[in-house]
Amino acid sequence: MSAYDLYFISGSPPCWRAMLAMAVKGVDYTPKRLDNSKQEQKSPEFLAINPKGTVPVLVGHGVTIVDSIPILNYLDVNFPEPPLFGTTPEETVAVWQEHFSFDAAYSESVRAISRPLFRGKGAEQADEIKPAAEDLRSKLMLLDDKLRQQTHFAGNMLSAADISAYPVLCALERACCREDAQFLELKIAPYEEYFGNIFAWISRMQAIPGHDDAYPPHWRQAAE
């Protein structure tokens, strides 16, 4: 039995972020999957663990850590190698800056595109999706150019900024590649066609040891 339990919902980018960080650090844990369709994260049993009713939650060694970024910080302090937040003040600043810049620039547009597509409402909400996609394409072009010049978000090292952004961009690509998204002509995905350097970065992320163990279970099942 592992020393940690990680409560998660399959496909949730914050949960995937925490699971990928656990894999990078080589920390063993017991995955505790909650069923979002049954709102198990709002059950009395789970609310006793996290009254906020949100995931991910890491439990072990006498602590309960709520939300992905605090989990990444906890892991970096307790399992220093490899470092996720740099080893110098300058590197740490760069990692945090990239994390917050990505979240501020991408989160709203990605949600505006991904949520309706995953819910099968692409045609119904096309008027909202298309301008969000246009805004996002310009940002992805800038990101693609950055990743042409360096291997990772905060330079040439894997960091929390990459782990934070990776699940979001993977979910976006998956949403935009859905069959019912094709008529929208979003010109975002597949990344291999539109953003070659982002595609190369994703390939590097996929090569992380333990990556496949952190991959959303229901996505894995759908591919089998």
Side-chain angles (χ1 to χ4, degrees):
M1 182 178 294
S2 63
Y4 293 98
D5 291 334
L6 181 64
Y7 293 84
F8 75 102
I9 290 173
S10 181
S12 158
C15 294
W16 190 358
R17 181 185 297 164
M19 297 171 83
L20 188 57
M22 299 287 279
V24 167
K25 293 291 189 178
V27 179
D28 188 34
Y29 66 95
T30 300
K32 300 284 187 178
R33 182 177 175 180
L34 302 177
D35 190 335
N36 187 42
S37 67
K38 297 179 181 177
Q39 288 289 286
E40 288 182 345
Q41 71 273 30
K42 305 298 182 183
S43 68
E45 293 80 10
F46 184 70
L47 291 176
I49 298 169
N50 176 19
K52 290 171 61 179
T54 59
V55 286
V57 175
L58 183 67
V59 179
H61 287 282
V63 298
T64 298
I65 307 157
V66 177
D67 298 331
S68 60
I69 296 302
I71 290 173
L72 266 63
N73 274 276
Y74 172 85
L75 292 173
D76 217 38
V77 170
N78 288 278
F79 305 93
E81 294 297 329
L84 295 181
F85 292 92
T87 58
T88 67
E90 293 78 13
E91 290 176 350
T92 300
V93 167
V95 172
W96 279 112
Q97 180 170 291
E98 289 299 322
H99 164 70
F100 285 116
S101 295
F102 179 86
D103 189 57
Y106 286 79
S107 294
E108 185 175 344
S109 295
V110 169
R111 281 194 297 267
I113 296 167
S114 298
R115 285 185 177 179
L117 290 177
F118 279 134
R119 294 170 180 172
K121 296 185 177 181
E124 182 179 334
Q125 296 184 227
D127 289 344
E128 291 81 20
I129 294 172
K130 287 185 176 181
E134 184 175 351
D135 173 69
L136 198 56
R137 274 197 305 273
S138 63
K139 294 172 181 175
L140 289 169
M141 288 175 63
L142 293 174
L143 176 59
D144 194 71
D145 186 60
K146 175 189 287 189
L147 291 172
R148 177 181 58 83
Q149 302 173 59
Q150 59 195 51
T151 60
H152 293 82
F153 270 52
N156 292 314
M157 61 178 185
L158 174 70
S159 74
D162 300 283
I163 291 173
S164 179
Y166 177 72
V168 176
L169 291 175
C170 286
L172 173 67
E173 182 178 36
R174 186 177 179 86
C176 292
C177 284
R178 286 173 58 93
E179 184 176 350
D180 57 351
Q182 301 310 304
F183 80 97
L184 294 170
E185 299 182 347
L186 301 178
K187 298 181 181 178
I188 288 175
Y191 295 143
E192 185 175 12
E193 179 178 347
Y194 294 102
F195 304 103
N197 297 305
I198 294 175
F199 174 76
W201 168 77
I202 284 180
S203 298
R204 289 191 287 273
M205 296 296 291
Q206 290 173 337
I208 292 172
H211 169 274
D212 291 351
D213 293 332
Y215 196 75
H218 78 288
W219 290 11
R220 190 185 307 123
Q221 291 164 2
E224 293 174 351

